[in-house]
Amino acid sequence: MARVVVVGGGLAGMASAARLAKLGHEVTLCEAGDRLGGALAPVERDGFAWDGGAASTLLPAVLRDLFRKTGRPLERELELVPLDPVREHRFADGSTLALPGGSRAAQIAAFDRLGPGLGPAWAAYVASYADDWELVRRDYAERPYDKASADPAAVRLLRGRRSLAERAATLPDPRLRAVALHPAHAQGQDPARVPAWLGVWSYLEQRLGAATVPGGFSAVATALGTRLTTRGVEVWLGTRVSDVVVAGGRARGVLTNVGEFSADLVVVAADPRRLPSLARQVRRTTPAAAPDVVHLGLAGDLGADLAHETVLHGSPDLLLHRGGTAPEGSSVLTVAAWGLAPGTDLLDRLAERGVDVRDRLVTRVDRSPAEVGAGGSPYGLAWEGRATVARRLGPRTPVEGLYAAGAHAAPGAGVPFAGLSAALVAQVVGPA
Ligand SMILES: Cc1cc2nc3c(=O)[nH]c(=O)nc-3n(C[C@H](O)[C@H](O)[C@H](O)COP(=O)(O)OP(=O)(O)OC[C@H]3O[C@@H](n4cnc5c(N)ncnc54)[C@H](O)[C@@H]3O)c2cc1C
């Protein structure tokens, strides 16, 4: 049995802690904030509660696997429901697409309604990712990437120079290209610097759909907090790790504002660029940009006017989601946008795009990009071409006994990849 300290109580830190505790290790988790959840924690005001980060997830199997491998299955803790549609896209020309998930035939029909022949064109684009996903899944997402032992086809794929923007440029219609690039835009990434294989998002969405939790996705963080208690993980809130203690070439513990914790193994599930003993290893990486976000509490029910998630395409795209809870007779809406000019009110931009909720406003919480990114690095690292694969840490690091999980660690950001990164850490640490 090893004594493990996990740094960071976001999804990746909680998932790593729960998995390692289940494997028989003695786990302590240090979280700088006063609650668990990181980007998954809710934002609350005046009786409203909004999902502060993720409001849905692709690859719900990742969460299912996490709950099943650490105790009671997810279905016993949470209601995870498929999103239908996964998202509505409203394009600048006035046309709309309610994007179905989990069905090739339904996607073909939906794209065909945009224009004859567009359904098969989209289906062919998505199908071109089937082999890529198999390679990525086997050699990058579900086991630590090691180019010496990986399938040579996976190595070629991950080293490919082609960008997502270039691959999407083969699509015959600007609206299809906008849908193809959306996953990159929605993570603050520049599609011209995102490797082409990351289009596997579209493939996963079509094959498996997306899922959410009625009443707010932040319930995942609450359920994981309970799971940590069940697994006997010692949680220290308000405990900011200032560095990892490294002696004799291996991790020996962490330094925090409340003192030193000694450990046999340390898992960093927070931004490694902020920890001096790791900063050098990741000096050639850049954090992905965070958006401006406004959480709105509105009088009345939004009803069927808006899907759970809606993208208002334009400059910039506005991303809307309805995750959270509101007092009786009112509703929640969250709007996010990247690259907003200073002084711009997102509520006005929303009105210009046809969603005018200004006269229904009860309360609002504005979060600047600095505030959204303050707790950690919720979108991980910016993709800077193919080199980013090698520049990311995780699950192993160059320091013995020191592991990395989370959005900044391989294989990437978002609930599925943050969850998978914790599974990779558990895999390389192994049972006690
Ligand atoms: C607005 C927004 C919308 C999003 N929407 C989606 C979505 O719809 N679907 C999706 O899949 N993903 C979405 N994401 C991304 C997803 O939420 C994140 O990728 C994921 O939750 C990151 O989890 P994490 O554990 O890696 O990092 P974080 O959640 O950032 O957790 C890091 C934790 O570490 C703590 N910490 C940091 N430094 C220290 C330290 N020195 N010592 C101790 N603790 C420390 C922080 O306080 C934080 O709690 C969204 C993110 C945001 C911000």
Side-chain angles (χ1 to χ4, degrees):
M1 179 182 72
R3 280 170 311 151
V4 184
V5 170
V6 175
V7 183
L11 171 68
M14 289 196 286
S16 302
R19 282 180 178 275
L20 292 170
K22 179 69 173 142
L23 288 172
H25 300 290
E26 184 186 308
V27 184
T28 301
L29 183 148
C30 298
E31 163 55 44
D34 58 8
R35 70 194 300 173
L36 291 169
L40 288 192
V43 173
E44 291 156 338
R45 179 170 295 173
D46 299 333
F48 293 84
W50 300 266
D51 284 333
S56 68
T57 185
L58 271 187
L59 267 186
V62 171
L63 286 180
R64 289 207 179 88
D65 183 69
L66 166 62
F67 278 86
R68 192 167 43 80
K69 297 248 174 75
T70 59
R72 278 153 53 106
L74 179 103
E75 290 68 25
R76 306 266 299 272
E77 311 281 345
L78 285 172
E79 198 190 351
L80 199 61
V81 297
L83 271 181
D84 184 27
V86 164
R87 185 180 325 108
E88 182 174 323
H89 290 266
R90 298 187 182 180
F91 302 102
D93 67 358
S95 58
T96 63
L97 169 79
L99 183 68
S103 164
R104 178 174 175 274
Q107 284 204 347
I108 291 177
F111 279 93
D112 261 344
R113 282 193 285 277
L114 283 181
L118 294 184
W122 177 255
Y125 171 78
V126 172
S128 74
Y129 279 105
D131 292 344
D132 290 4
W133 170 241
E134 271 313 299
L135 294 169
V136 169
R137 184 182 66 75
R138 282 205 310 262
D139 276 319
Y140 191 46
E142 290 183 1
R143 68 173 190 170
Y145 179 56
D146 172 11
K147 59 177 186 292
S149 61
D151 183 332
V155 178
R156 275 196 304 280
L157 182 71
L158 296 177
R159 294 185 60 174
R161 289 182 185 277
R162 206 170 180 208
S163 72
L164 182 63
E166 286 167 327
R167 190 138 157 192
T170 59
L171 285 162
D173 185 283
R175 294 166 299 178
L176 272 58
R177 296 196 284 275
V179 176
L181 299 184
H182 170 73
H185 286 143
Q187 293 190 18
Q189 303 283 352
D190 172 0
R193 315 216 60 197
V194 170
W197 59 263
L198 266 157
V200 295
W201 285 119
S202 300
Y203 175 75
L204 294 173
E205 204 163 70
Q206 186 190 85
R207 288 294 306 276
L208 305 167
T212 190
V213 178
F217 199 79
S218 60
V220 172
T222 311
L224 274 175
T226 308
R227 184 57 53 95
L228 295 188
T229 309
T230 311
R231 294 268 67 90
V233 173
E234 193 178 317
V235 175
W236 286 68
L237 298 176
T239 305
R240 177 170 291 280
V241 172
S242 52
D243 204 1
V244 178
V245 180
V246 180
R250 65 166 299 136
R252 306 278 177 190
V254 296
L255 299 173
T256 80
N257 55 319
V258 298
E260 185 171 336
F261 290 68
S262 56
D264 306 310
L265 307 174
V266 175
V267 179
V268 173
D271 188 345
R273 289 167 304 113
R274 300 187 193 184
L275 301 176
S277 55
L278 271 178
R280 217 175 58 81
Q281 326 282 356
V282 283
R283 67 187 187 284
R284 288 160 73 211
T285 62
T286 317
D292 279 280
V293 175
V294 62
H295 302 288
L296 305 170
L298 304 172
D301 187 0
L302 282 171
D305 290 353
L306 282 174
H308 182 75
E309 294 184 22
T310 302
V311 187
L312 306 179
H313 289 280
S315 188
D317 286 355
L318 303 185
L319 276 53
L320 282 51
H321 77 68
R322 298 177 58 179
T325 53
E328 185 78 26
S330 41
S331 45
V332 289
L333 182 63
T334 292
V335 187
W338 275 263
L340 209 60
T344 312
D345 189 340
L346 267 173
L347 209 54
D348 294 337
R349 300 306 295 266
L350 201 56
E352 287 161 20
R353 306 277 183 86
V355 183
D356 193 350
V357 290
R358 288 174 295 194
D359 60 349
R360 297 167 64 174
L361 187 66
V362 177
T363 190
R364 63 186 286 173
V365 180
D366 289 86
R367 294 160 71 208
S368 67
E371 288 163 329
V372 172
S377 52
Y379 293 98
L381 299 179
W383 280 99
E384 297 173 292
R386 60 183 184 155
T388 306
V389 167
R391 290 177 186 162
R392 286 170 188 250
L393 294 176
R396 296 189 178 89
T397 73
V399 180
E400 205 185 323
L402 180 55
Y403 302 89
H408 54 82
V415 170
F417 278 163
L420 282 166
S421 74
L424 291 182
V425 166
Q427 195 184 114
V428 295
V429 170

